[in-house]
Amino acid sequence: MKRILVTGGAGFIGANFVHHMIAHSDAEITVLDKMSYAANRASLEGLDPKRFTLVQGDICDYVLVNELVPQHDAVIHFAAETHNDNSLHDPRIFLKSNVMGTFELLEAVRHHEVRLHHISTDEVYGDLELDDPQRFTETTPYQPSSPYSASKASSDLLVKAWVRSFGIEATLSNCSNNYGPFQHVEKFIPRQITSILSGLPPKLYGNGANVRDWIHASDHSSAVQRILEAGERGRTYLIGADGERSNREVLGLILELMGRDADDFEWVADRAGHDLRYAIDATVLREELGWRPQYTDLERGLGATIDWYRQHRSWWEPAKARTEERYRRQLSGEEARMAS
Ligand code: NAD
Ligand code: TDX
């Protein structure tokens, strides 16, 4: 697989994947990214121009998509609106990019007979009780909670329908919560790290008991590469690294690693419809495709991530004030709604 089109490659996981593939394959990569607020050109700086091109454009653009797709051997589809809090305040763009954008790509890979790998999330399965011994598997029924996860579930179902009805050459993966370099400051871990670096208090939603199953973005990349090499057409693979921790525990680790007191944060109002717990069983990927995660020590991974944000202030500082202002607006909108 020589020529790869990576949608959303200027975002967090897409950029990590591009760096991974440049280092661990001989693929030539084109990134198609509309450069939304979540994208950052600096995440792709320094890549060899013989092997890497960035095209600014929208996956909903039929003409552009049909020009680019046939020039490639595979499309790896990361592009999406990805933040749950935003989806609660302005869901329209989530349906447009995540559902209609995926539809445009599906039609293009069908007509041009190009392989597709669709990137999705464990959030399509809804949530688990804290004491549930079950984890999500490839056969767990879909039960999304938020506009974001419903839009991702919709896109997954479109991919499955295009496999069955049109025989497209596609695979899917649903991954747990990622962390690592290049993650936008709106997301939980970078928000807390960059708040501490900016002299602002970290903010914990609800009672902090919600559990997320953390995986380093590099492990997500190696899993996707393995699926590209050996995944079976039409199959879904779950990606996770057994990293379940409560939000309170993760924040506690960040505070400790950054030399702060354990209670040096603020409790804030809970997210509407907040999923309680996600947990992935990645047995199929491990046993059938022989994939193993490498970065499973969360404390070490968080330490390295904190160092990265310390050393890359110019990467995140322009977005920080804007993001905190957006959170303030969302909160006051929520308060006004609840008062009326
Ligand atoms: P991100 O928000 O950091 O990046 C998304 C990228 O997609 C941005 O660069 C944005 O500009 C681009 N994009 C959005 N709409 C587009 C459009 N219409 N046309 C072209 N480009 C567009 O997201 P991320 O965290 O890197 O997530 C990438 C993918 O992985 C998403 O599909 C997401 O659902 C999935 N995922 C994320 C996580 C996680 O923990 N972040 C976990 C599992 C799955
Ligand atoms: O300031 C915060 N305080 C807080 O307690 C923020 C931003 C979040 N939280 C909580 C909410 C969640 O329980 O932290 C947890 C993680 O929140 P997010 O980073 O917003 O991630 P989540 O909602 O779990 O979704 C993420 O993982 C699955 C990605 O954003 C999705 O794109 C992916 O599909």
Side-chain angles (χ1 to χ4, degrees), residues 213-236:
D213 186 356
W214 293 100
I215 182 172
H216 195 278
S218 297
D219 283 331
H220 190 174
S221 295
S222 68
V224 172
Q225 183 179 21
R226 190 70 201 118
I227 296 165
L228 282 177
E229 290 162 356
E232 257 178 62
R233 189 183 78 82
R235 290 275 299 271
T236 289

Short mmCIF file of all heavy atoms in Angstrom, two decimals, residues 213-236:
data_model
loop_
_atom_site.label_atom_id
_atom_site.label_comp_id
_atom_site.label_asym_id
_atom_site.label_seq_id
_atom_site.Cartn_x
_atom_site.Cartn_y
_atom_site.Cartn_z
N ASP A 213 -11.00 4.61 29.24
CA ASP A 213 -10.04 3.53 29.02
C ASP A 213 -8.93 4.11 28.13
O ASP A 213 -9.09 4.20 26.92
CB ASP A 213 -10.80 2.37 28.33
CG ASP A 213 -9.96 1.13 28.18
OD1 ASP A 213 -8.77 1.16 28.54
OD2 ASP A 213 -10.51 0.12 27.68
N TRP A 214 -7.82 4.53 28.75
CA TRP A 214 -6.83 5.35 28.03
C TRP A 214 -5.85 4.51 27.22
O TRP A 214 -5.37 3.47 27.67
CB TRP A 214 -6.06 6.24 29.03
CG TRP A 214 -6.97 7.26 29.64
CD1 TRP A 214 -7.57 7.20 30.88
CD2 TRP A 214 -7.45 8.46 29.02
NE1 TRP A 214 -8.39 8.31 31.06
CE2 TRP A 214 -8.33 9.09 29.94
CE3 TRP A 214 -7.23 9.07 27.78
CZ2 TRP A 214 -8.97 10.30 29.66
CZ3 TRP A 214 -7.88 10.27 27.50
CH2 TRP A 214 -8.73 10.87 28.44
N ILE A 215 -5.55 5.01 26.02
CA ILE A 215 -4.54 4.39 25.15
C ILE A 215 -3.68 5.50 24.57
O ILE A 215 -4.20 6.59 24.24
CB ILE A 215 -5.21 3.56 24.02
CG1 ILE A 215 -4.17 2.87 23.13
CG2 ILE A 215 -6.14 4.40 23.17
CD1 ILE A 215 -4.78 1.88 22.12
N HIS A 216 -2.38 5.26 24.46
CA HIS A 216 -1.51 6.26 23.85
C HIS A 216 -1.77 6.29 22.34
O HIS A 216 -1.95 5.23 21.72
CB HIS A 216 -0.03 5.93 24.13
CG HIS A 216 0.86 7.09 23.86
ND1 HIS A 216 1.30 7.40 22.59
CD2 HIS A 216 1.37 8.03 24.69
CE1 HIS A 216 2.06 8.48 22.66
NE2 HIS A 216 2.12 8.89 23.92
N ALA A 217 -1.77 7.49 21.75
CA ALA A 217 -2.06 7.62 20.32
C ALA A 217 -1.10 6.80 19.46
O ALA A 217 -1.48 6.32 18.38
CB ALA A 217 -2.02 9.10 19.92
N SER A 218 0.14 6.59 19.91
CA SER A 218 1.08 5.77 19.12
C SER A 218 0.59 4.33 19.03
O SER A 218 0.78 3.67 18.01
CB SER A 218 2.47 5.75 19.78
OG SER A 218 2.98 7.04 19.79
N ASP A 219 -0.02 3.83 20.10
CA ASP A 219 -0.55 2.46 20.07
C ASP A 219 -1.77 2.38 19.15
O ASP A 219 -1.98 1.37 18.46
CB ASP A 219 -0.89 1.99 21.48
CG ASP A 219 0.36 1.59 22.27
OD1 ASP A 219 1.34 1.17 21.63
OD2 ASP A 219 0.35 1.72 23.50
N HIS A 220 -2.58 3.46 19.12
CA HIS A 220 -3.70 3.49 18.16
C HIS A 220 -3.14 3.40 16.73
O HIS A 220 -3.63 2.63 15.90
CB HIS A 220 -4.50 4.77 18.38
CG HIS A 220 -5.80 4.82 17.63
ND1 HIS A 220 -6.71 5.85 17.79
CD2 HIS A 220 -6.37 4.00 16.72
CE1 HIS A 220 -7.76 5.63 17.01
NE2 HIS A 220 -7.56 4.52 16.34
N SER A 221 -2.08 4.15 16.47
CA SER A 221 -1.49 4.15 15.12
C SER A 221 -0.99 2.77 14.72
O SER A 221 -1.22 2.30 13.61
CB SER A 221 -0.31 5.13 15.05
OG SER A 221 -0.75 6.45 15.24
N SER A 222 -0.28 2.10 15.64
CA SER A 222 0.28 0.78 15.28
C SER A 222 -0.86 -0.22 15.06
O SER A 222 -0.75 -1.11 14.20
CB SER A 222 1.27 0.28 16.33
OG SER A 222 0.61 -0.02 17.53
N ALA A 223 -1.95 -0.06 15.79
CA ALA A 223 -3.10 -0.96 15.60
C ALA A 223 -3.72 -0.75 14.22
O ALA A 223 -4.03 -1.70 13.50
CB ALA A 223 -4.13 -0.73 16.70
N VAL A 224 -3.87 0.52 13.83
CA VAL A 224 -4.45 0.80 12.51
C VAL A 224 -3.53 0.27 11.40
O VAL A 224 -4.00 -0.33 10.42
CB VAL A 224 -4.73 2.32 12.35
CG1 VAL A 224 -5.15 2.66 10.92
CG2 VAL A 224 -5.80 2.78 13.34
N GLN A 225 -2.22 0.45 11.58
CA GLN A 225 -1.30 -0.08 10.58
C GLN A 225 -1.45 -1.60 10.45
O GLN A 225 -1.48 -2.16 9.36
CB GLN A 225 0.15 0.26 10.95
CG GLN A 225 1.13 -0.21 9.88
CD GLN A 225 2.58 0.14 10.19
OE1 GLN A 225 2.93 0.38 11.35
NE2 GLN A 225 3.42 0.15 9.18
N ARG A 226 -1.58 -2.29 11.59
CA ARG A 226 -1.74 -3.75 11.58
C ARG A 226 -3.04 -4.15 10.86
O ARG A 226 -3.07 -5.12 10.10
CB ARG A 226 -1.73 -4.23 13.03
CG ARG A 226 -1.65 -5.69 13.21
CD ARG A 226 -0.27 -6.25 12.84
NE ARG A 226 -0.37 -7.67 12.56
CZ ARG A 226 -0.10 -8.25 11.39
NH1 ARG A 226 0.36 -7.56 10.37
NH2 ARG A 226 -0.26 -9.54 11.23
N ILE A 227 -4.11 -3.38 11.09
CA ILE A 227 -5.39 -3.69 10.43
C ILE A 227 -5.27 -3.47 8.92
O ILE A 227 -5.78 -4.24 8.11
CB ILE A 227 -6.54 -2.85 11.04
CG1 ILE A 227 -6.75 -3.22 12.51
CG2 ILE A 227 -7.84 -3.04 10.25
CD1 ILE A 227 -7.59 -2.24 13.31
N LEU A 228 -4.53 -2.42 8.54
CA LEU A 228 -4.31 -2.17 7.10
C LEU A 228 -3.58 -3.35 6.46
O LEU A 228 -3.87 -3.74 5.34
CB LEU A 228 -3.47 -0.91 6.90
CG LEU A 228 -4.18 0.41 7.06
CD1 LEU A 228 -3.18 1.55 6.91
CD2 LEU A 228 -5.28 0.53 6.01
N GLU A 229 -2.61 -3.91 7.20
CA GLU A 229 -1.80 -5.01 6.66
C GLU A 229 -2.58 -6.32 6.62
O GLU A 229 -2.47 -7.08 5.67
CB GLU A 229 -0.56 -5.24 7.55
CG GLU A 229 0.47 -4.14 7.48
CD GLU A 229 1.44 -4.18 8.67
OE1 GLU A 229 1.28 -5.01 9.60
OE2 GLU A 229 2.36 -3.36 8.68
N ALA A 230 -3.37 -6.57 7.68
CA ALA A 230 -3.88 -7.95 7.83
C ALA A 230 -5.38 -8.02 8.13
O ALA A 230 -5.91 -9.12 8.28
CB ALA A 230 -3.11 -8.65 8.95
N GLY A 231 -6.07 -6.87 8.22
CA GLY A 231 -7.50 -6.89 8.57
C GLY A 231 -8.32 -7.52 7.45
O GLY A 231 -7.98 -7.41 6.28
N GLU A 232 -9.42 -8.17 7.85
CA GLU A 232 -10.29 -8.82 6.87
C GLU A 232 -11.38 -7.86 6.42
O GLU A 232 -12.00 -7.18 7.25
CB GLU A 232 -11.01 -9.99 7.55
CG GLU A 232 -10.47 -11.34 7.22
CD GLU A 232 -11.25 -12.38 8.02
OE1 GLU A 232 -12.47 -12.51 7.84
OE2 GLU A 232 -10.61 -13.02 8.87
N ARG A 233 -11.70 -7.89 5.14
CA ARG A 233 -12.72 -7.00 4.57
C ARG A 233 -14.04 -7.10 5.35
O ARG A 233 -14.49 -8.18 5.67
CB ARG A 233 -12.98 -7.39 3.12
CG ARG A 233 -13.86 -6.40 2.37
CD ARG A 233 -14.13 -6.89 0.96
NE ARG A 233 -15.14 -7.93 0.95
CZ ARG A 233 -16.45 -7.71 0.98
NH1 ARG A 233 -16.92 -6.48 1.01
NH2 ARG A 233 -17.30 -8.71 0.98
N GLY A 234 -14.60 -5.92 5.67
CA GLY A 234 -15.90 -5.88 6.34
C GLY A 234 -15.83 -6.03 7.84
O GLY A 234 -16.84 -5.84 8.52
N ARG A 235 -14.64 -6.36 8.37
CA ARG A 235 -14.55 -6.60 9.82
C ARG A 235 -14.36 -5.32 10.61
O ARG A 235 -13.74 -4.36 10.15
CB ARG A 235 -13.36 -7.52 10.12
CG ARG A 235 -13.52 -8.94 9.66
CD ARG A 235 -14.27 -9.81 10.67
NE ARG A 235 -13.64 -9.94 11.97
CZ ARG A 235 -12.76 -10.87 12.31
NH1 ARG A 235 -12.35 -11.74 11.41
NH2 ARG A 235 -12.26 -10.94 13.53
N THR A 236 -14.86 -5.36 11.85
CA THR A 236 -14.62 -4.31 12.83
C THR A 236 -13.62 -4.83 13.85
O THR A 236 -13.73 -5.97 14.29
CB THR A 236 -15.93 -3.97 13.57
OG1 THR A 236 -16.80 -3.30 12.67
CG2 THR A 236 -15.68 -3.09 14.79
#
